[in-house]
Amino acid sequence: MSALEIGRSRRSVLAVPGSSAKMIEKAKGLAADEIFLDLEDAVAPIAKAEARGRVVDALNSGGWGNQIKVVRVNDWTTPWTYLDVVDVVSGAGANLDAILLPKVETASDVQALDLLLTQVEKNAGLDVGAIGIEPQIESARSLRNIDDIATASPRVQTLVFGPADMMASVNMRTLVVGEQPEGYDTGDAYHHILMTILLAARTHGLQAIDGPYLQIRDLDAFRRAAGRTAGLGFDGKWVLHPTQIDAANEIFSPRQADFDKAEEILEAYEFHTSEAGGARGAVMLGDEMIDEASRKMALVVSAKGRAASMTRSDAANRT
């Protein structure tokens, strides 16, 4: 998938504890683009085995919409990763879109998961390679290895920012995930991290997903944090509560006016560069000159809008 071929939308990525049947059932009817059932931080060690079974049952049950369905397994430093993958994929792999792998440090972490997935898929009679991988970038080491991680397997679909562990990894002086650390009063303390993830994603044709904003009752602060990464070009953000879903879907979708203009640019450029339109390389659209660079920018907005099921407004269609 190229940067211009956005694919399935991941504007809102809802985290749901794999141990809670009630929360899983509620999540099925929500408007999140992706839902991941969490076997890692949201599940106590003594509840891991039971949660695996609950996740398998949930994936195989009805009531799901068009959400991308993902399971976050435990990381490779724990004793649970192997059984997380084997139990979930062998039990419900046909209803699973991807595995979210936390605390990825090197390409070998992704490669190990790829090999294990391949074996389980073969043994379960599933299509090999159908289940994707979403590596979580959560440390200074993982950020340094990001290009190797991004290209470690053809299964990799997204690069996901894990802010809390990253903040701990670099000794950032704050306890509020997503907020600027005390004393950092100019610019954005996360800009280098976010741009590194974004550039790696775009270089390798992947989606870039921002991590959560933990103050779930402060929707205005969530919107500010989401607006920052949406403005950079990220494709979506984790949400921890249903109240954040609509905000994420709105913020990571193009504005209607921008989508209409992008569609108009593409339509005009296609016509004017054709033989019927005079085969011109640069033309005027209203008071603005458009050319090949304009087309590329419009393609990005158009692709994101179409992935979010947007259509041109009635007013735009009448012009």
Side-chain angles (χ1 to χ4, degrees):
M1 180 181 65
S2 74
L4 298 180
E5 295 169 347
I6 299 301
R8 297 179 69 182
S9 201
R10 286 181 169 89
R11 299 166 300 174
S12 52
V13 178
L14 178 64
V16 181
S19 56
S20 173
K22 179 180 179 181
M23 295 179 73
I24 293 172
E25 193 62 30
K26 181 179 180 180
K28 293 180 179 181
L30 298 176
D33 288 338
E34 175 178 308
I35 293 174
F36 77 84
L37 307 180
D38 194 13
L39 294 175
E40 195 211 15
D41 289 346
V43 179
I46 61 172
K48 300 285 187 185
E50 182 181 356
R52 289 187 203 113
R54 183 166 286 116
V55 164
V56 169
D57 291 342
L59 290 171
N60 289 334
S61 65
W64 293 99
N66 295 321
Q67 304 102 328
I68 299 171
K69 296 184 288 296
V70 177
V71 172
R72 180 164 73 164
V73 299
N74 290 275
D75 75 89
W76 283 118
T77 67
T78 73
W80 304 300
T81 319
Y82 170 79
L83 285 178
D84 287 346
V85 176
V86 172
D87 288 359
V88 170
V89 176
S90 61
N95 299 311
L96 179 67
D97 294 301
I99 293 289
L100 175 59
L101 183 63
K103 298 178 177 61
V104 173
E105 296 281 292
T106 67
S108 62
D109 293 335
V110 176
Q111 291 162 351
L113 178 56
D114 186 332
L115 290 170
L116 181 55
L117 279 171
T118 296
Q119 291 189 356
V120 179
E121 286 168 336
K122 288 180 177 178
N123 283 316
L126 301 169
D127 292 337
V128 173
I131 296 172
I133 296 176
E134 300 188 357
Q136 236 180 315
I137 308 301
E138 302 188 73
S139 71
R141 187 182 183 200
S142 64
L143 199 67
R144 289 295 192 185
N145 292 326
I146 194 165
D147 286 298
D148 290 338
I149 291 168
T151 56
S153 165
R155 295 179 187 266
V156 176
Q157 299 176 349
T158 70
L159 295 175
V160 181
F161 177 38
D165 282 279
M166 180 67 76
M167 290 159 64
S169 171
V170 300
N171 294 342
M172 191 174 286
R173 192 173 62 181
T174 180
L175 293 174
V176 182
V177 175
E179 290 292 352
Q180 302 301 312
E182 182 182 355
Y184 199 97
D185 55 4
T186 302
D188 181 359
Y190 305 94
H191 185 75
H192 172 74
I193 297 169
L194 292 168
M195 283 303 297
T196 301
I197 294 171
L198 180 62
L199 290 173
R202 293 299 177 250
T203 297
H204 304 295
L206 308 174
Q207 291 190 356
I209 306 299
D210 190 16
Y213 188 86
L214 270 60
Q215 305 295 318
I216 60 174
R217 291 185 174 85
D218 193 341
L219 191 57
D220 288 339
F222 172 84
R223 294 182 71 91
R224 288 196 302 271
R228 174 188 65 193
T229 47
L232 287 178
F234 272 62
D235 298 292
K237 184 173 177 64
W238 279 15
V239 293
L240 301 181
H241 192 272
T243 57
Q244 297 176 331
I245 293 174
D246 287 345
N249 287 345
E250 173 197 338
I251 291 166
F252 287 94
S253 296
R255 291 175 297 184
Q256 185 66 52
D258 291 339
F259 179 75
D260 289 344
K261 183 176 181 180
E263 292 285 292
E264 185 181 9
I265 288 172
L266 293 174
E267 186 178 84
Y269 188 80
E270 181 180 6
F271 172 73
H272 287 294
T273 55
S274 69
E275 184 175 350
R280 290 174 286 170
V283 297
M284 294 300 296
L285 180 62
D287 295 329
E288 182 180 358
M289 187 191 79
I290 61 171
D291 56 14
E292 174 63 13
S294 307
R295 185 189 72 86
K296 290 178 180 177
M297 294 169 64
L299 275 174
V300 172
V301 176
S302 175
K304 286 192 174 185
R306 292 184 184 190
S309 300
M310 293 181 69
T311 58
R312 292 177 73 171
S313 65
D314 290 341
N317 287 327
R318 289 196 297 269
T319 59

